[in-house]
Amino acid sequence: MSHEHFYSRTNGPTLHRINRVRYLDEVTPRHLAGGGDPRHVTEYLLAAGWSNHSVPGYPHVLLESPNGQLHLTLEPTAPEERDTWWRIHPASGRGAGWSAHFGGHTPVEIIAGFSDALSTPAPPAQTQTADLWYIAESRGWAKQRVGADQMALSPDETAILARIQALSDTPTWRWKTEVSLPLADGRRRWLWGATIDDTAPANAIAGFITFLTAPAPLLRDEGQTPGRTFGHLHSARSPITPEQNRRRHLQRLEDAQRTRPPAPPPAGPASPPGPAHRTKRR
């Protein structure tokens, strides 16, 4: 039986059918928009040549880069906001030991800012830390310093981007994002967090910060935004229809296919065995 006969988000506008969604909302600030459709990340990587090692019947996603050097896992857990759902890191024993972790409510468009860059050739010039801070400051994020750590606060004061020194035997730097909402009693309610080691590819870090701090709204359909963001999230009916959004996604996949590494040439036919050497008998 086709999955189209099931009442499920699998049949949402991103994939095939659009009749279940009649309109989309544009929501800001984008870091409060909710996770969205994970296929925005996974289908792009698959189109870019990543291989799927997911276990049938198990609700996890396991992807590997075309060269076998990077792994992405999506492992939904119990609804604990501080749990990591998304992990991206070099395959065991390959390359530098860095990792990127994203919580379940991290908007997939922001995760894609990081993961898309991993399938795009890095620019020849390395991105400097000052350039990364400039991205946030140019979007109105207020930069601050607390001891040796640096941070930037979003214009609505619900998100912090920080570069902190990780506590370990070998001091390392890490980019960290925390998104939380103020409560009436002065405390804050956690929504999602992300950490990216400073040794991750610089163009991927730049992509994450660019999509995190962009002022443009994100598209969400009914039920995709977290209920706890009520009063903090601004929403307006989008002129973009579900069908137009689906076509945008298909165009995004076509763009990803153009970045795919060329397939290795097929192995040539094996050389036929030569004639057996016979020893002349006397």
Side-chain angles (χ1 to χ4, degrees):
M1 178 183 292
S2 169
H3 62 75
E4 294 182 4
H5 296 282
F6 286 82
Y7 184 81
S8 166
R9 288 193 182 275
T10 301
N11 302 320
T14 301
L15 196 58
H16 293 294
R17 305 180 71 177
I18 63 172
N19 58 333
R20 289 189 55 237
V21 180
R22 288 176 289 183
Y23 61 86
L24 297 169
D25 287 331
E26 295 180 345
V27 296
T28 55
R30 56 174 41 207
H31 52 265
L32 299 181
D37 193 328
R39 290 170 295 187
H40 184 80
V41 174
T42 58
E43 286 190 347
Y44 180 93
L45 294 180
L46 291 171
W50 287 51
S51 54
N52 189 351
H53 297 270
S54 306
V55 179
Y58 199 60
H60 292 188
V61 177
L62 311 173
L63 304 184
E64 185 175 61
S65 62
N67 59 10
Q69 294 184 0
L70 296 175
H71 285 172
L72 176 145
T73 60
L74 168 57
E75 299 181 302
T77 61
E80 289 292 334
E81 291 81 4
R82 293 180 182 269
D83 287 351
T84 293
W85 283 31
W86 299 82
R87 293 178 178 84
I88 307 174
H89 54 83
S92 178
R94 297 175 183 266
W98 59 266
S99 64
H101 297 218
F102 307 95
H105 284 307
T106 310
V108 291
E109 296 86 350
I110 296 176
I111 298 174
F114 182 88
S115 59
D116 285 8
L118 299 176
S119 295
T120 304
Q126 290 295 320
T127 304
Q128 302 298 318
T129 300
D131 299 327
L132 299 175
W133 283 120
Y134 175 77
I135 296 172
E137 290 181 281
S138 66
R139 271 84 179 274
W141 287 52
K143 189 177 177 183
Q144 305 171 5
R145 180 181 288 275
V146 179
D149 300 336
Q150 293 177 299
M151 62 181 60
L153 183 65
S154 65
D156 70 333
E157 300 185 351
T158 61
I160 292 175
L161 172 68
R163 184 173 181 265
I164 63 174
Q165 195 167 28
L167 300 177
S168 62
D169 295 336
T170 304
T172 57
W173 288 91
R174 179 175 296 162
W175 292 89
K176 184 175 183 179
T177 299
E178 294 183 351
V179 178
S180 60
L181 303 173
L183 298 175
D185 60 4
R187 296 181 299 167
R188 301 191 70 87
R189 172 176 287 172
W190 179 275
L191 189 62
W192 63 267
T195 59
I196 304 173
D197 289 338
D198 200 42
T199 50
N203 63 324
I205 299 175
F208 171 79
I209 296 176
T210 297
F211 279 78
L212 168 68
T213 60
L218 296 180
L219 294 177
R220 291 291 184 267
D221 64 16
E222 183 181 2
Q224 283 191 317
T225 55
R228 68 194 61 186
T229 60
F230 180 79
H232 301 277
L233 192 67
H234 304 282
S235 176
R237 184 70 54 84
S238 175
I240 299 172
T241 67
E243 171 61 16
Q244 290 172 329
N245 189 41
R246 185 184 75 90
R247 293 185 180 277
R248 279 185 173 188
H249 179 68
L250 295 178
Q251 182 61 55
R252 171 174 159 79
L253 300 187
E254 291 180 10
D255 295 341
Q257 290 175 339
R258 285 192 281 269
T259 71
R260 294 181 71 142
S271 301
H277 178 73
R278 297 182 179 179
T279 303
K280 186 176 180 180
R281 298 181 64 183
R282 296 183 180 178

